[in-house]
Every structure is written in C-alpha cells, then in structure tokens.
Amino acid sequence: MTQATASKPRHVPLRTCIGCNSEKPKMELIRIVRTPEGNLAVDGPKGKLKGRGAYVCPQVECMEKVIKRKALPHTFKQAFPPEQLEVVKQQFVERLLTPSI
Ligand SMILES: [Zn+2]
C-alpha cells in the first residue's frame, strides 16, 4: 500500500555565510566555488560548478566581510592573490545585479 506522503520536505538545508556567520537556507545564499584548478568562481543559480563551495549572503556587505576576514583562504585552506579576490568580488556583485547569470 502506498500512501501519499507529504509532497514537500519540511527540512530546509541550511548553510552558514562565511561573511557574517549567520545560517540561512542554502537557496538564499550565493555559492562561491574553488574549482579543481584552484581558482575562485561565483556559481550560477543552479549550482553547476564543480569544486568545494562556500556560501555568502546576497549582500555586498557580506562579501566585503569575506574579503576583510580572509574567509576564503581560511575556508579553502589556500592562499589567493588579492587580484583573484577582487575578481570574485566583481563576479559576486554582477551576480547580485543579474540573478539569472
Ligand atoms: Zn552574510
């Protein structure tokens, strides 16, 4: 016998923003990926990029905290040159302006 069980799971996956350390539903956060080549990239809304991910609130303030606190080198246990952090910050801002990227 199959019974119609709850169609929507109640459990929402949470992730912690590496800028402000608050927990939010994964869907509401922007994913930053360290690719297998060791580069940083801001993932699209579908989360297609391969690699280790870190999550940041969709706010410039949080991204600035991420840079200031060196949260990315800390999270990925790898040093990144300042230019690379600047590029990922720009990608992040573009992503905020155009959520469909
Ligand atoms: Zn945040």
Side-chain angles (χ1 to χ4, degrees):
M1 292 289 278
T2 48
Q3 270 193 331
T5 45
S7 53
K8 283 184 185 175
R10 275 193 172 180
H11 179 73
V12 179
L14 295 175
R15 293 293 180 273
T16 304
C17 168
I18 59 169
C20 66
N21 286 323
S22 62
E23 264 195 346
K24 299 202 173 168
K26 191 180 162 188
M27 296 293 293
E28 293 177 15
L29 298 169
I30 290 181
R31 184 167 173 255
I32 295 175
V33 177
R34 190 203 57 191
T35 66
E37 294 80 33
N39 292 317
L40 291 171
V42 175
D43 207 352
K46 287 179 185 166
K48 286 185 292 192
L49 291 179
K50 281 185 185 172
R52 241 195 92 129
Y55 292 84
V56 182
C57 303
Q59 294 168 9
V60 178
E61 291 80 9
C62 283
M63 191 62 196
E64 281 170 352
K65 281 182 195 165
V66 166
I67 307 279
K68 264 188 209 159
R69 292 175 166 186
K70 304 187 192 332
L72 288 167
H74 181 78
T75 301
F76 294 129
K77 297 181 170 51
Q78 178 186 331
F80 298 104
E83 311 87 70
Q84 202 172 8
L85 295 173
E86 196 54 42
V87 167
V88 86
K89 187 181 164 187
Q90 277 172 18
Q91 285 183 8
F92 183 89
V93 172
E94 279 168 24
R95 172 74 202 282
L96 290 184
L97 297 174
T98 46
S100 57
I101 288 180

